Structures are given as structure tokens and as C-alpha cells.
Amino acid sequence: MDRKVESRLKKESVIWLVTAGKDARPQAVPVWFLWDGSSFLIYAQDGAKVNHIRANPHVELHLNEIDDDIVRASGYATIAKSGPPPNKNPAYMRKYRTGIKSIGMTPETYAAKYHNAVSVRRVKFH
């Protein structure tokens, strides 16, 4: 992966997560994320994303296109059984504390709602 892609993955606040459930119908939604150099971490509330990942762990991730720069990846998602909630994850709080406040939540209320830690590994960039 080149430096430009790595930089975008560190700086961008939103990535599009594409999931498909048992019905194989894709659903793309914008999500907040962390990139650690080899995997993505996304916190999700209960609902379609989590249900889709449990039914079909193969996902796609896309950044918005900027100046013909397209970043697309695929990977294998799991719902982590352990790990810190978003409000106890320092990197996540550095990146999204202001965003959490802007949607009228505290770190604690956000963590209670977005309590599913989605880990995307085996990432392949296209």
C-alpha cells in the first residue's frame, strides 16, 4: 500500500462499509473507523450491519473518491467478543470525540449504543 492510501486511511473520518446478509443483497452505509495498518475497527449498534456480518462475514470498504483517487478494500469481518468499548479506546476517542459530541451524545452514551466492535481482517486492497 502506498503512503497516499495509508495517509487517507488515517485521516478520513468516514468509510463506506458494504455488507450482505443471507439474502445476498448488498447494503452500503457510512461508518466511523480506525485503521491500524492491517485491520479496520468499526463500532456498530445492533441492527442490519451486525446481522449481515453474522450471516455473511465478507465485506467491502470504500473511501469517497478524491481527485480520481479511489480506495477499495475487501475483508473478513467478525464481531469481537472482547476489547475496549469506544469510550475506552484512546485512538477512537481522539479521532471521534468531537463527532460524538456533535450528534448530541457523550462518550458513555455512544459506547452504550455502539457496543458491537466489528473487526475487519484479511484486508485486500483493490
Side-chain angles (χ1 to χ4, degrees), residues 42-101:
I42 299 161
Y43 289 102
Q45 61 184 317
D46 293 332
K49 282 188 297 268
V50 170
N51 294 338
H52 283 183
I53 289 166
R54 286 187 172 128
N56 177 2
H58 300 281
V59 300
E60 294 278 330
L61 299 132
H62 307 172
L63 288 178
N64 286 333
E65 177 265 337
I66 296 177
D67 299 325
D68 294 326
D69 182 28
I70 298 171
V71 177
R72 246 182 79 231
S74 58
Y76 188 86
T78 57
I79 310 299
K81 296 194 187 322
S82 64
N87 63 320
K88 302 289 186 193
N89 183 322
Y92 197 84
M93 286 287 78
R94 274 192 302 279
K95 190 171 182 181
Y96 294 110
R97 183 179 304 279
T98 301
I100 290 168
K101 185 177 179 182

Side-chain angles (χ1 to χ4, degrees), residues 5-48:
V5 170
E6 187 73 33
S7 175
R8 285 196 63 200
L9 289 170
K10 295 280 186 195
K11 292 178 184 175
E12 294 281 338
S13 61
V14 172
I15 197 165
W16 288 85
L17 173 67
V18 183
T19 62
K22 290 179 185 177
D23 64 3
R25 297 181 77 172
Q27 179 183 27
V29 293
V31 295
W32 290 346
F33 72 100
L34 286 179
W35 169 251
D36 68 7
S38 64
S39 65
F40 291 93
L41 173 62
I42 299 161
Y43 289 102
Q45 61 184 317
D46 293 332

